[in-house]
Amino acid sequence: MPHTKKGGGVFIRFQANAQMTVRVQFTSTTPLRFASIFNLRSSPFSTSRLLFSGRRNVIGMDKEGFLQPAEAVVADSDLLKKKLDALRFSGPQKLQVIADFDATLTRYWIDGCRGQTSHGLLKQGNPEYDTKRDELYKYYHPLEYSPTISIEEKTKLMEEWWGKSHSLLIEGGLTFDAIKQSVAAATIAFREGVVELFELLEEKGVPVLIFSAGLADIIEEVLRQKLHRSFKNIRIVSNRMVFDDNGCLVSFKGKTIHSLNKNEHALDMAAPLHDQLGDVDGAINDSASVRKRTNVLLLGDHIGDLGMSDGLNYDTRISVGFLNDNIENSLDSYRNAFDIVYLNDASMLGVVKLVRQLFPV
Ligand code: TMP
Ligand code: MG
């Protein structure tokens, strides 16, 4: 039974269909004030979906567009349009994609349960240590996404978390076999459309850098087990383990990457891989070098993920943020930080459409 309520220049329409799905439609000709959004939960059981039809959010909102109105928010559509034109004009040979892994390429909710991260899925064959790491997750994860803690304080907290977690993995005796078994048993899945995106980018010769504060060895195993194929255009920058001759974890290579220092690592960690990526086609020429790919499509789920492109001297960057949780409190900061924000654990199909629209066959 449709019901329309008018208030403060914003029309709010509640509509229930046969499955009692509630659609919330905001119609406004003035900039939308997201602080007033209420009752919008992001659990898997939440049926609320936002439908923005204010003038500031109209780009590409047709049926085939990459901004499905139910799940996308754009704060500055004029700026986005300019950036899209710039990427289209320069072509795929000037583009590189930099993507976060956990909760960006992977789903936040899976069958009503939180999808596991590359850290979180690990069972190190020692329940005492698994419990200790789980307790750390319960304590630090809400702090990681808290919109009220300062960046300085949060950075210290994240250093603490990663330090403790990596030490527990070494102390508790992690083996490479345990990694394989953990991935096989894990609640982890790629967002719908991720494989299509990888295929499309491979076809267009666009390199992808997966830049994660997770664990490189696990991410590689997840790619192997879940995708059953490799992509020659994908490279991974993440925390890498060192195993001894018996296959036991003894240390981690280099400096720790956590969710808030990706900017510091962007250049030193990614640069050598950027060079390798430039050669993925075997076509070694000027435009193949990633250093010369001056346009960036960045995908992340944390504001800190924006630091992944620091140090790259890019001309144009389109940033896409997946806001998976705590939408009421975080939407304002996400829409100001990212060019496009996908809500409610959206699929990757919007990004696939965006790339297709930029570079049609
Ligand atoms: P990302 O950079 O690929 O998103 O990976 C980082 C995620 O890993 C971050 O959101 C927090 C998560 N994490 C765990 O789940 N368990 C841990 O022990 C640690 C240190 C991080
Ligand atoms: Mg993430």
Side-chain angles (χ1 to χ4, degrees):
M1 185 178 61
H3 172 76
T4 305
K5 187 181 170 200
K6 189 179 171 186
V10 176
F11 293 85
I12 304 169
R13 177 174 299 143
F14 296 92
Q15 193 173 21
N17 64 16
Q19 290 86 43
M20 294 306 287
T21 298
V22 179
R23 309 196 81 191
V24 185
Q25 178 171 344
F26 292 78
T27 310
S28 171
T29 49
T30 54
L32 295 165
R33 285 174 53 82
F34 296 102
S36 64
I37 289 173
F38 55 91
N39 229 358
L40 179 73
R41 299 204 334 270
S42 53
S43 81
F45 313 108
S46 167
T47 51
S48 304
R49 287 290 183 273
L50 283 176
L51 210 118
F52 293 92
S53 41
R55 280 188 60 233
R56 288 164 64 81
N57 293 291
V58 290
I59 288 187
M61 282 178 59
D62 55 279
K63 259 191 183 163
E64 303 306 316
F66 58 86
L67 298 179
Q68 290 304 306
E71 55 192 24
V73 178
V74 173
D76 190 338
S77 55
D78 292 338
L79 179 64
L80 177 60
K81 188 171 180 318
K82 279 190 193 121
K83 290 185 175 189
L84 288 165
D85 288 344
L87 259 61
R88 191 177 292 117
F89 180 76
S90 308
Q93 65 280 5
K94 285 286 180 191
L95 181 67
Q96 58 178 305
V97 172
I98 306 181
D100 167 60
F101 184 75
D102 294 299
T104 296
L105 295 178
T106 61
R107 285 163 55 183
Y108 196 76
W109 296 110
I110 299 169
D111 297 333
C113 296
R114 268 289 279 113
Q116 289 174 309
T117 61
S118 60
H119 271 107
L121 64 81
L122 259 187
K123 296 273 174 279
Q124 50 190 114
N126 185 330
E128 187 193 334
Y129 280 81
D130 290 338
T131 306
K132 282 184 185 173
R133 283 185 302 113
D134 203 36
E135 278 163 5
L136 291 179
Y137 177 89
K138 285 182 188 137
Y139 177 74
Y140 286 105
H141 182 66
L143 304 178
E144 183 187 13
Y145 286 86
S146 164
T148 54
I149 302 176
S150 73
I151 290 286
E152 294 74 25
E153 199 186 333
K154 218 190 258 192
T155 302
K156 279 194 201 125
L157 289 164
M158 295 304 106
E159 275 164 16
E160 251 176 50
W161 184 14
W162 262 255
K164 287 178 188 171
S165 183
H166 286 191
S167 300
L168 287 170
L169 287 173
I170 298 169
E171 255 180 59
L174 177 72
T175 62
F176 196 75
D177 274 351
I179 290 181
K180 285 194 206 155
Q181 286 166 27
S182 300
V183 171
T187 308
I188 190 164
F190 287 100
R191 287 181 195 274
E192 188 192 357
V194 166
V195 176
E196 286 92 324
L197 180 66
F198 288 168
E199 282 172 353
L200 181 61
L201 294 169
E202 189 178 48
E203 187 189 308
K204 303 280 174 201
V206 175
V208 180
L209 193 72
I210 298 179
F211 199 151
S212 172
L215 298 161
D217 311 70
I218 314 285
I219 293 170
E220 282 165 0
E221 191 59 27
V222 173
L223 289 167
R224 266 195 293 274
Q225 290 195 24
K226 302 289 175 191
L227 302 186
H228 308 288
R229 57 161 294 189
S230 62
F231 291 88
K232 60 184 181 194
N233 58 330
I234 296 181
R235 295 287 181 279
I236 297 165
V237 172
S238 189
N239 298 301
R240 200 163 278 282
M241 298 173 175
V242 180
F243 294 92
D244 66 13
D245 292 342
N246 300 319
C248 287
L249 174 67
V250 285
S251 63
F252 285 84
K253 273 187 196 158
K255 291 183 215 155
T256 305
I257 306 175
H258 59 70
S259 47
L260 281 176
N261 70 353
K262 286 184 172 179
N263 55 335
E264 292 166 26
H265 292 269
L267 253 193
D268 54 333
M269 300 285 288
L273 285 163
H274 279 156
D275 288 344
Q276 283 176 34
L277 273 168
D279 301 343
V280 285
D281 312 287
I284 304 167
N285 56 43
D286 272 2
S287 66
S289 164
V290 174
R291 284 174 192 278
K292 298 201 173 158
R293 288 181 178 262
T294 45
N295 292 332
V296 176
L297 176 61
L298 182 146
L299 313 175
D301 78 299
H302 194 282
I303 303 255
D305 290 332
L306 289 162
M308 296 189 296
S309 56
D310 282 11
L312 284 179
N313 210 2
Y314 58 80
D315 290 337
T316 305
R317 181 187 74 178
I318 293 183
S319 55
V320 176
F322 287 86
L323 176 50
N324 301 307
D325 206 1
N326 201 10
I327 293 178
E328 307 90 306
N329 296 323
S330 302
L331 185 54
D332 247 348
S333 55
Y334 271 63
R335 70 189 286 271
N336 288 328
F338 291 96
D339 294 305
I340 304 168
V341 181
Y342 284 107
L343 305 173
N344 298 313
D345 209 13
S347 78
M348 194 57 79
L349 291 169
V351 179
V352 173
K353 285 176 184 164
L354 183 150
V355 175
R356 282 216 183 98
Q357 284 182 10
L358 282 177
F359 313 123
V361 191

